[in-house]
Amino acid sequence: QVQLVESGGGLVQAGGSLRLSCAASGRTFNTYAMGWFRQAPGKEREFVAAFSWSGGSTYYADSVKGRFTISGDNAKNTVYLQMNSLKPEDTAVYYCNADRAQAYGLGGGYWGQGTQVTVSS
């Protein structure tokens, strides 16, 4: 079983930056994809960004493209989400997710406990 632990959330002012980390333990992630979803109060969980371990491909939601950067460190089994130019609309609980690359984004796989990101205006 895969365990995911997020860290790096916090409170920042609009325009600031945060870096989220998701450390994985258990199975190797060589054939998996990892990434981030987020959920704001009263809203559905939405996709933010994903990273494919096999090819290093990255994917971003339109709302964060150009501001967020996802990357992976295979030696540490860790995925990072660098969030720049943060906006109040980015406020949400951010969840790390890991799944088979072929099925990523369908809501399955493994999930972290979530980390709160709050952006003040």
Side-chain angles (χ1 to χ4, degrees), residues 1-5 23-29 32 77 98 109-112:
Q1 185 175 346
V2 176
Q3 305 291 328
L4 304 174
V5 179
S25 61
R27 296 179 180 270
T28 178
F29 281 77
Y32 279 70
N77 286 335
Y110 302 91
W111 294 87

Side-chain angles (χ1 to χ4, degrees), residues 9 24 59:
Y59 306 88

Side-chain angles (χ1 to χ4, degrees), residues 3 32 51 57 85 100 111:
Q3 305 291 328
Y32 279 70
F51 177 86
S57 299
S85 301
R100 293 163 49 243
W111 294 87

Side-chain angles (χ1 to χ4, degrees), residues 5-67:
V5 179
E6 303 105 327
S7 62
L11 173 64
V12 297
Q13 294 184 12
S17 298
L18 283 174
R19 189 194 193 203
L20 305 183
S21 299
C22 177
S25 61
R27 296 179 180 270
T28 178
F29 281 77
N30 290 342
T31 61
Y32 279 70
M34 291 180 63
W36 299 86
F37 287 69
R38 67 186 182 186
Q39 187 168 23
K43 296 186 177 181
E44 296 295 314
R45 190 172 298 186
E46 65 175 353
F47 170 77
V48 177
F51 177 86
S52 174
W53 289 105
S54 59
S57 299
T58 59
Y59 306 88
Y60 299 94
D62 289 341
S63 59
V64 306
K65 192 173 184 178
R67 299 187 297 120

Side-chain angles (χ1 to χ4, degrees), residues 57-121:
S57 299
T58 59
Y59 306 88
Y60 299 94
D62 289 341
S63 59
V64 306
K65 192 173 184 178
R67 299 187 297 120
F68 292 9
T69 302
I70 190 169
S71 61
D73 185 338
N74 185 260
K76 296 182 178 180
N77 286 335
T78 299
V79 166
Y80 305 95
L81 184 67
Q82 179 66 45
M83 305 186 295
N84 298 326
S85 301
L86 282 163
K87 304 176 180 179
E89 307 93 89
D90 297 317
T91 296
V93 177
Y94 285 69
Y95 296 91
C96 183
N97 173 242
D99 203 355
R100 293 163 49 243
Q102 299 90 335
Y104 195 86
L106 299 180
Y110 302 91
W111 294 87
Q113 81 287 348
T115 185
Q116 177 71 48
V117 172
T118 302
V119 184
S120 62
S121 59

